Amino acid sequence: MISRVERGANYVLLLVFATFALWPVGTIVVAALGSDGAPGGLANFAAAWETGRFGSSMLTSVAVSAFVVVVAGVFSLMAGYAFGTMTVPGGTVLFALFLLGLTVPTEVIVVPLYFDLRTFGLTNTFWAIALPQVAQSLAFGTFWMRAYFRSSPTSIVEAARLDGAGTWRILWRILVPAGRPAIVTMIVLTFMWTWNEFLIPLVMASNGQLRTAPLGLAFFQGQYSSGFALLAAGAVIVALPVVVVYLFLQRHFLRGMLDGAVRE
Amino acid sequence: MGSGSRSLGPSRWTALAYVLPALVVYAAFLLYPLGRSVHLSLFDWDGLSLATFVGLANYVEVVTDEGLRAAFGHALVLIVFFAGLPTVIGLAVAAVLNRAKVRGLPFFRTVVFLPQVLAMVVVGVAWRRIYAPDGSVNAVLSAVGLGDLGRAWLGDTVLALPAVGVIGTWVQTGLVTVLLLAGMSRVPGDLYEAARLDGAGAVREFFSITLPAVRGELAVALTLTVIAALKTFDLVYITTGGGPGNRTSVPAFEVYNRAFRLGEVGSAAAVGVTLTIVIFVINLAVARVGRQRT
């Protein structure tokens, strides 16, 4: 039996741990509403939005994230479908190459990408920020969707095939609707990784014309020195989209990040 | 898939067509740059003028150059903070919480996992504030009468690296705890009951039942956190910029610094390739150990 003392100690432990986890978050939220060099209250967010030029950086982040999520999502679905249910020529090697991408650090690809894209005049463009992230997301997406398609019942697919449905129709009419949970997990993780990515936009948009939200916050921190309130408000603005998605769909974050790590 | 369904199923070329869009983008923006990095690492190049072939000299530098050796040394320290501490704390907390069925566990999980979804820039902004001379670390120290120990933590030549490490501990501990809690909850309850009937205490229960049961989860947690420590770039860039001096410089930061600030592209590529190999080997090793034991 668990004694009352032990139970009480457990609640203390929970409380201490939760406080540790929330302390930095609380620091930011409280400061964001404070009046350290700012009007104070919710007006801080409007002021930070103006001063930190978050309007344009948030818009860039929305565009990049939407592009990466949609393109990487559709391509991952297609590739995962083929790897999971069909015989792809050289499939074992090709799939191993996709798995390789799960471990390749961004640092090693960003250096040659910068110099090669500069040769083509593509640095400081939307594409230079978005396409490398599509490639990175494809590694996880293909791995994740293949696992789903392998586990989907073949009987439904066979039945549809006998009814004369083509592979394209089977994918979009049967497998995609049935695989919504797995697909949502892929989407939220791709969104989070893209939204939070720092190194790729830092290097690829080095002239500072095109900024994503995290990059905008980093520049804001470097330039703005009159009080902490507006910087904190900026941090809240940048973190909010992912945090909101997390609060509503946290099951997907947990499952994706934990199961996604358990590779064969 | 059996041969019967294969004859009915889509052709190999249809299958390849489905893979092709992903493969093209992936090859162009990940595989090709990876190969290019290996290629660049064999040259001495400032990013502008003509490159000179130097063979493996850049890799020799990874081992001999003081700054780079220091950077890899710092990465080892970060591994203690990103992987070591979270694993020890996570194991202890998860084991305790698993023993007693406390209420509020879902809320607790939501809260402790939260650091994982925050952009590192946001994390950096928050912790710079906490470590500032007028931040909460110093405030707590003065409140308990240790005000003399207060300092600008991220500017301290000795303590800046551990200070960055603690941020890593903060980010990773929730992930490890949640992962281990999930693993422990799958251990059948009658195992514990049997152990208790045998008179096993909490400690023996932990070492003979709980710990062996979560070996797989531990392997995953260690892989994720060690790799996160090795990949640390944003956090260092935001909080210390590698300083004071190069006291918090890490390999991932050196790649950026050398390629885009010092104009040593070949050296940067060599550091990047070395880092990739280290991460790949760790992944393989942990995967192998995990497979043998489970």
Side-chain angles (χ1 to χ4, degrees):
Chain A
M1 272 321 286
I2 308 294
S3 71
R4 282 177 71 178
V5 177
E6 188 180 339
R7 192 170 296 256
N10 283 339
Y11 281 109
V12 172
L13 182 73
L14 276 184
L15 206 66
V16 169
F17 200 173
T19 310
F20 175 60
L22 282 178
W23 190 263
V25 180
T27 304
I28 285 286
V29 173
V30 170
L33 297 167
S35 51
D36 180 10
L42 289 176
N44 285 355
F45 293 100
W49 186 273
E50 269 314 299
T51 327
R53 291 192 291 148
F54 283 105
S56 74
S57 65
M58 291 288 278
L59 193 65
T60 305
S61 271
V62 168
V64 170
S65 303
F67 181 83
V68 174
V69 165
V70 171
V71 175
V74 171
F75 288 5
S76 296
L77 269 171
M78 289 168 61
Y81 177 46
F83 282 124
T85 66
M86 308 175 197
T87 315
V88 182
T92 318
V93 176
L94 284 181
F95 185 65
L97 281 176
F98 277 99
L99 278 186
L100 178 71
L102 289 170
T103 52
V104 171
T106 314
E107 286 78 13
V108 77
I109 60 165
V110 86
V111 172
L113 267 176
Y114 173 79
F115 292 105
D116 286 343
L117 290 179
R118 193 184 63 180
T119 311
F120 296 109
L122 282 173
T123 45
N124 297 303
T125 62
F126 175 85
W127 308 109
I129 300 176
L131 288 172
Q133 297 194 74
V134 171
Q136 284 190 315
S137 308
L138 281 170
F140 175 79
T142 302
F143 158 76
W144 185 252
M145 291 323 305
R146 171 181 172 268
Y148 160 67
F149 286 119
R150 270 166 70 107
S151 70
S152 61
T154 49
S155 55
I156 312 171
V157 176
E158 292 297 329
R161 209 175 268 165
L162 290 177
D163 279 351
T167 51
W168 188 252
R169 203 182 148 91
I170 292 174
L171 171 63
W172 295 105
R173 289 289 170 82
I174 300 173
L175 293 173
V176 166
R180 248 182 59 195
I183 295 169
V184 171
T185 300
M186 174 177 73
I187 289 174
V188 295
L189 287 182
T190 308
F191 167 65
M192 173 182 74
W193 287 325
T194 309
W195 186 274
N196 289 349
E197 174 62 36
F198 186 69
L199 182 60
I200 288 177
L202 175 72
V203 169
M204 292 302 168
S206 52
N207 73 1
Q209 293 294 311
L210 200 62
R211 281 178 196 168
T212 58
L215 207 58
L217 181 62
F219 276 96
F220 193 38
Q221 176 181 254
Q223 289 162 352
Y224 185 76
S225 55
S226 40
F228 184 65
L230 291 196
L231 185 57
V236 172
I237 291 172
V238 172
L240 206 59
V242 179
V243 171
V244 168
V245 176
Y246 168 69
L247 291 179
F248 282 102
L249 298 168
Q250 54 160 307
R251 176 166 80 74
H252 290 282
F253 283 81
L254 294 172
R255 201 180 55 187
M257 292 178 73
L258 304 181
D259 292 358
V262 191
R263 276 159 239 149
E264 294 128 84
Chain B
M1 212 183 270
S3 57
S5 63
R6 189 177 296 162
S7 61
L8 270 175
S11 79
R12 293 156 65 89
W13 301 112
T14 311
L16 196 61
Y18 273 100
V19 176
L20 211 57
L23 190 61
V24 168
V25 178
Y26 184 72
F29 289 92
L30 201 139
L31 292 178
Y32 177 73
L34 186 60
R36 275 283 284 159
S37 230
V38 176
H39 184 231
L40 279 176
S41 71
L42 304 174
F43 288 83
D44 183 14
W45 188 40
D46 62 5
L48 297 165
S49 54
L50 257 144
T52 339
F53 182 78
V54 293
L56 294 175
N58 287 324
Y59 289 95
V60 173
E61 205 192 35
V62 170
V63 189
T64 56
D65 182 87
E66 295 254 336
L68 287 180
R69 275 167 64 166
F72 277 93
H74 297 157
L76 286 180
V77 175
L78 288 192
I79 287 177
V80 173
F81 282 95
F82 277 64
L85 282 180
T87 304
V88 173
I89 302 171
L91 265 176
V93 172
V96 167
L97 294 181
N98 187 53
R99 241 174 84 81
K101 306 289 170 231
V102 286
R103 288 164 181 235
L105 211 54
F107 173 74
F108 172 78
R109 214 168 38 204
T110 307
V111 165
V112 298
F113 197 80
L114 182 65
Q116 284 286 325
V117 309
L118 297 176
M120 271 300 169
V121 187
V122 173
V123 171
V125 167
W127 280 89
R128 265 173 68 108
R129 180 66 184 162
I130 290 171
Y131 283 139
D134 60 345
S136 44
V137 173
N138 286 347
V140 169
L141 284 176
S142 347
V144 295
L146 294 170
D148 291 347
L149 292 178
R151 64 197 72 206
W153 295 90
L154 293 169
D156 189 281
T157 48
V158 178
L159 293 173
L161 186 62
V164 171
V166 167
I167 306 177
T169 308
W170 177 74
V171 172
Q172 304 297 348
T173 303
L175 171 81
V176 176
T177 309
V178 170
L179 188 56
L180 292 174
L181 266 176
M184 288 177 191
S185 71
R186 280 193 285 269
V187 182
D190 41 356
L191 269 182
Y192 288 109
E193 271 165 39
R196 276 169 213 170
L197 284 177
D198 283 350
V203 174
R204 232 183 80 195
E205 208 177 282
F206 174 76
F207 283 104
S208 58
I209 300 175
T210 313
L211 195 58
V214 294
R215 267 204 197 119
E217 280 79 8
L218 265 182
V220 172
L222 280 173
T223 319
L224 287 176
T225 51
V226 169
I227 290 175
L230 289 170
K231 280 184 174 177
T232 302
F233 168 78
D234 321 17
L235 193 58
V236 166
Y237 181 92
I238 296 296
T239 53
T240 64
N246 69 344
R247 294 304 175 97
T248 55
S249 168
V250 288
F253 185 76
E254 280 300 322
V255 174
Y256 174 80
N257 199 33
R258 281 170 188 249
F260 302 113
R261 284 182 177 159
L262 304 177
E264 298 172 13
V265 180
S267 171
V271 176
V273 171
T274 308
L275 190 62
T276 308
I277 294 171
V278 171
I279 290 176
F280 191 70
V281 168
I282 290 175
N283 237 326
L284 275 187
V286 177
R288 178 153 300 177
V289 171
R291 206 177 298 143
Q292 272 170 1
R293 297 223 175 130
T294 45

